[in-house]
Amino acid sequence: MRASAPFAVLFAVHFALTACAAPPSAQTASGNSSNIEAREHFRRGLELSRQGLHDGAAAEFQSYVTAVPNDAEGHFQYARALMEIALRVRRPLTEVVNELETAARLAPALDYIRIQLAEVYGRRFIGTFKPERAVELFEEVLKKMPDRYDVRFRFARMILDSEMRLTRSGDPKRVLQDSAWAMDLARFHLEKVIDVAPRDAEPERHKGNQFQ
């Protein structure tokens, strides 16, 4: 089974759920180093990222994490810049994963890092496509914050976009690895989102279309 393309209603639900949510607070570079030059690399990296100049941003963030290797936010921002470059030139995501894994190790409580890492593992890139690990990371975040319906939406969208196959056991009537396991999981989380959807979005009318 494959997910159909339209996501208009679900995107409306997503924006309605996240409009009032505060973005994750990031660490500041100044809190992690007294080195003025290192902080300037971080500042310039953020500015270049905002301008869409990701090659320059990656170079600045690389200089920053070299000087301040224990700052999770620096590795996270470096990974984001590398991700933009990799998607543009169709480069493997190995460096991106390495930086995000480092950020997650340095700051395990920062869930936005784990969500980003999960979404990278959920992309069909050779060498880094790990659907089971992506699911595990999302489920760890949702176990801590079950009311984060924006996260549930991102989880379900990742499953549908990648058309992943998951390995599950316990039902002798179904094969061990099947896309149906993934569709069941996506449906579960989308139904949770639909439960809190605004009435004028009429999500129930469209729910079945996602799994045709």
Side-chain angles (χ1 to χ4, degrees), residues 54-67:
H54 302 293
D55 294 88
E60 295 291 351
F61 288 130
Q62 183 179 37
S63 296
Y64 177 75
V65 298
T66 299

Side-chain angles (χ1 to χ4, degrees), residues 127-198:
T128 54
F129 180 53
K130 298 182 179 181
E132 300 288 349
R133 178 60 175 150
V135 168
E136 179 184 20
L137 286 163
F138 263 115
E139 289 181 340
E140 286 175 1
V141 173
L142 287 170
K143 184 176 181 179
K144 290 166 45 180
M145 301 183 297
D147 294 332
R148 284 290 302 274
Y149 293 99
D150 58 315
V151 176
R152 290 188 186 277
F153 179 87
R154 290 173 68 171
F155 188 9
R157 186 174 64 180
M158 178 199 71
I159 293 170
L160 297 174
D161 285 350
S162 66
E163 299 180 350
M164 63 175 54
R165 298 167 64 88
L166 297 176
T167 301
R168 294 290 186 271
S169 60
D171 187 343
K173 298 180 181 178
R174 298 174 68 169
V175 296
L176 183 64
Q177 188 180 63
D178 189 1
S179 61
W181 294 115
M183 292 300 100
D184 287 348
L185 185 60
R187 177 183 282 111
F188 170 80
H189 288 288
L190 287 176
E191 287 177 345
K192 292 287 187 181
V193 174
I194 288 169
D195 287 342
V196 296

Side-chain angles (χ1 to χ4, degrees), residues 1-207:
M1 296 189 295
R2 296 186 60 181
S4 60
F7 276 96
V9 173
L10 291 173
F11 277 121
V13 173
H14 171 62
F15 291 133
L17 289 170
T18 58
C20 299
S25 58
Q27 299 175 9
T28 61
S30 60
N32 294 289
S33 174
S34 60
N35 189 306
I36 296 175
E37 184 178 356
R39 294 202 301 271
E40 184 61 16
H41 282 303
F42 187 85
R43 186 197 66 78
R44 286 199 298 261
L46 291 177
E47 182 60 30
L48 290 169
S49 290
R50 283 192 288 267
Q51 296 174 20
L53 303 174
H54 302 293
D55 294 88
E60 295 291 351
F61 288 130
Q62 183 179 37
S63 296
Y64 177 75
V65 298
T66 299
V68 191
N70 292 324
D71 180 40
E73 184 65 19
H75 289 281
F76 176 71
Q77 294 296 340
Y78 184 27
R80 292 184 64 183
L82 290 173
M83 182 76 168
E84 294 291 343
I85 297 169
L87 293 178
R88 186 183 73 226
V89 303
R90 302 299 294 178
R91 181 186 300 171
L93 302 181
T94 306
E95 288 183 286
V96 179
V97 167
N98 289 342
E99 291 301 318
L100 288 173
E101 286 283 9
T102 299
R105 175 177 55 79
L106 291 170
L110 295 182
D111 292 314
Y112 66 91
I113 295 176
R114 301 176 76 78
I115 292 169
Q116 183 73 81
L117 180 58
E119 289 178 330
V120 172
Y121 277 136
R123 286 179 174 267
R124 282 188 174 274
F125 275 68
I126 294 174
T128 54
F129 180 53
K130 298 182 179 181
E132 300 288 349
R133 178 60 175 150
V135 168
E136 179 184 20
L137 286 163
F138 263 115
E139 289 181 340
E140 286 175 1
V141 173
L142 287 170
K143 184 176 181 179
K144 290 166 45 180
M145 301 183 297
D147 294 332
R148 284 290 302 274
Y149 293 99
D150 58 315
V151 176
R152 290 188 186 277
F153 179 87
R154 290 173 68 171
F155 188 9
R157 186 174 64 180
M158 178 199 71
I159 293 170
L160 297 174
D161 285 350
S162 66
E163 299 180 350
M164 63 175 54
R165 298 167 64 88
L166 297 176
T167 301
R168 294 290 186 271
S169 60
D171 187 343
K173 298 180 181 178
R174 298 174 68 169
V175 296
L176 183 64
Q177 188 180 63
D178 189 1
S179 61
W181 294 115
M183 292 300 100
D184 287 348
L185 185 60
R187 177 183 282 111
F188 170 80
H189 288 288
L190 287 176
E191 287 177 345
K192 292 287 187 181
V193 174
I194 288 169
D195 287 342
V196 296
R199 290 184 178 277
D200 57 2
E202 302 182 29
E204 288 291 341
R205 183 166 57 88
H206 300 270
K207 181 174 64 176

